[in-house]
Amino acid sequence: MTEQLDMNRIPQHVAIIMDGNGRWAAERGKERSFGHQAGVDTVRRITSECVRLGVKYLTLYTFSTENWNRPTDEISALMGLVLSSLEDEIFMKNNVRFQVIGDIERLPEVVQEKLRETESHTSDNDAMTMVVALSYSSRWEITKALRDMISEGVKPEDVTEAFVTAHLETKDMPDPELLIRTGGELRISNYLLWQIAYSELYFCDTYWPDFGEEDLRRAILSYQSRQRRFGKTEEQIENEQNSK
Ligand code: IPE
Ligand code: IPE
Ligand code: MG
């Protein structure tokens, strides 16, 4: 399938809602945390594949603000996994920079420290940036941006789209061209609402632990088969392409 991919049109930024770990485990008669553990292996495989394909930003929805409402033992298991999976070696081997977005202060101190440490150890890596959304939700992010703007004493006329973008957690990143959700649900669940205004959406039934390199390539292929019009007509887009 790789042959069919246009390597000149690989999305710069791929965002993923990694869903279906719990159902994957349940199908095997196991605890939900078993599914989360398997999900970590998928993160490794998909990260390496993104680097190989030349993706520049991979943004992974790992724990949402709403996930704080899950049973405490599941939350603890997830925090433990975040801690144990942040091995410098993996980032160094792939030349991947690690970055976190979200309300980090709600996380256990030891997790916060590990996150900051991993960010600083990997800050010079430049093949790709892996962004992990932890204790993140889009409404939290936008509300925080509004608060920050007001406390800076910003004047109404200064509030442009670019200015709002610059107050978001994702301020230094391009918007995702492609958003993938695994696990069969057809919703966004409070993820990157501002940033995905014009993203191509790709939903698949595969549970995250089963999502492989081939599935990722299929999603990118689907993205490449679409015409992104940004409000213009098909004819305008074709003329623009022909004049290049
Ligand atoms: C996604 O898998 C991972 C997190 C939300 C942490 P789920 O845990 O939501 O799995 P399902 O959707 O219940 O199968
Ligand atoms: C979205 O999955 C959050 C993450 C993948 C981290 P959920 O499983 O929490 O979403 P809902 O509750 O089904 O919308
Ligand atoms: Mg889910």
Side-chain angles (χ1 to χ4, degrees):
M1 186 185 270
T2 316
E3 297 77 62
Q4 292 167 269
L5 276 185
D6 180 348
M7 297 308 283
N8 295 317
R9 287 199 303 131
I10 296 292
Q12 263 199 96
H13 184 169
V14 176
I16 307 186
I17 302 173
M18 311 184 286
D19 197 23
N21 294 348
R23 282 164 285 162
W24 183 89
E27 275 187 0
R28 285 155 182 79
K30 306 265 192 184
E31 301 261 319
R32 297 176 58 83
S33 57
F34 183 74
H36 297 316
Q37 174 73 62
V40 173
D41 296 334
T42 305
V43 169
R44 300 227 163 97
R45 275 186 278 117
I46 295 302
T47 302
S48 304
E49 185 62 8
C50 282
V51 172
R52 268 196 295 276
L53 292 173
V55 171
K56 290 314 228 179
Y57 292 87
L58 173 65
T59 308
L60 301 171
Y61 206 6
T62 305
F63 190 80
S64 71
T65 304
E66 290 74 20
N67 289 149
W68 284 114
N69 297 318
R70 291 204 176 184
T72 43
D73 59 343
E74 183 173 350
I75 297 176
S76 306
L78 281 164
M79 294 302 147
L81 272 179
V82 169
L83 210 51
S84 65
S85 60
L86 289 174
E87 293 161 30
D88 281 1
E89 194 195 315
I90 296 177
F91 295 104
M92 292 317 192
K93 196 177 76 194
N94 289 298
N95 190 18
V96 169
R97 179 176 170 203
F98 174 81
Q99 229 179 304
V100 62
I101 58 172
D103 192 2
I104 298 313
E105 280 159 29
R106 286 186 75 177
L107 300 170
E109 190 62 45
V110 53
V111 177
Q112 293 185 39
E113 267 167 39
K114 185 73 185 168
L115 292 166
R116 278 192 271 257
E117 202 180 278
T118 312
E119 280 188 334
S120 94
H121 287 174
T122 62
S123 62
D124 291 333
N125 293 350
D126 59 5
M128 185 181 80
T129 302
M130 182 217 266
V131 184
V132 167
L134 266 179
S135 188
Y136 171 89
S137 76
S138 204
R139 288 185 176 182
W140 164 81
E141 177 186 42
I142 292 169
T143 306
K144 179 177 180 292
L146 287 170
R147 281 199 188 154
D148 291 348
M149 284 187 254
I150 291 166
S151 58
E152 285 163 25
V154 169
K155 294 193 204 71
E157 57 271 30
D158 292 337
V159 183
T160 59
E161 287 191 10
F163 193 80
V164 175
T165 299
H167 279 78
L168 299 176
E169 297 275 291
T170 51
K171 53 180 168 290
D172 302 318
M173 307 169 201
D175 286 340
E177 292 95 330
L178 173 63
L179 171 74
I180 300 171
R181 182 174 188 141
T182 66
E185 309 292 359
L186 305 179
R187 55 176 171 259
I188 302 299
S189 303
N190 216 350
Y191 194 39
L192 302 174
L193 298 178
W194 174 277
Q195 298 86 339
I196 62 167
Y198 260 106
S199 302
E200 295 300 326
L201 308 182
Y202 182 88
F203 296 95
C204 68
D205 289 334
T206 311
Y207 294 144
W208 178 248
D210 287 332
F211 189 80
E213 290 91 335
E214 195 71 2
D215 298 299
L216 175 72
R217 290 195 289 268
R218 199 169 290 128
I220 296 178
L221 207 56
S222 167
Y223 159 81
Q224 291 184 343
S225 73
R226 304 179 194 183
Q227 187 188 51
R228 305 185 76 202
R229 288 192 284 277
F230 300 98
K232 295 183 184 174
T233 67
E234 196 177 335
E235 198 187 353
Q236 283 176 299
I237 301 292
E238 274 158 17
N239 289 341
E240 280 172 17
Q241 276 160 359
N242 293 339
S243 65
K244 265 187 201 153

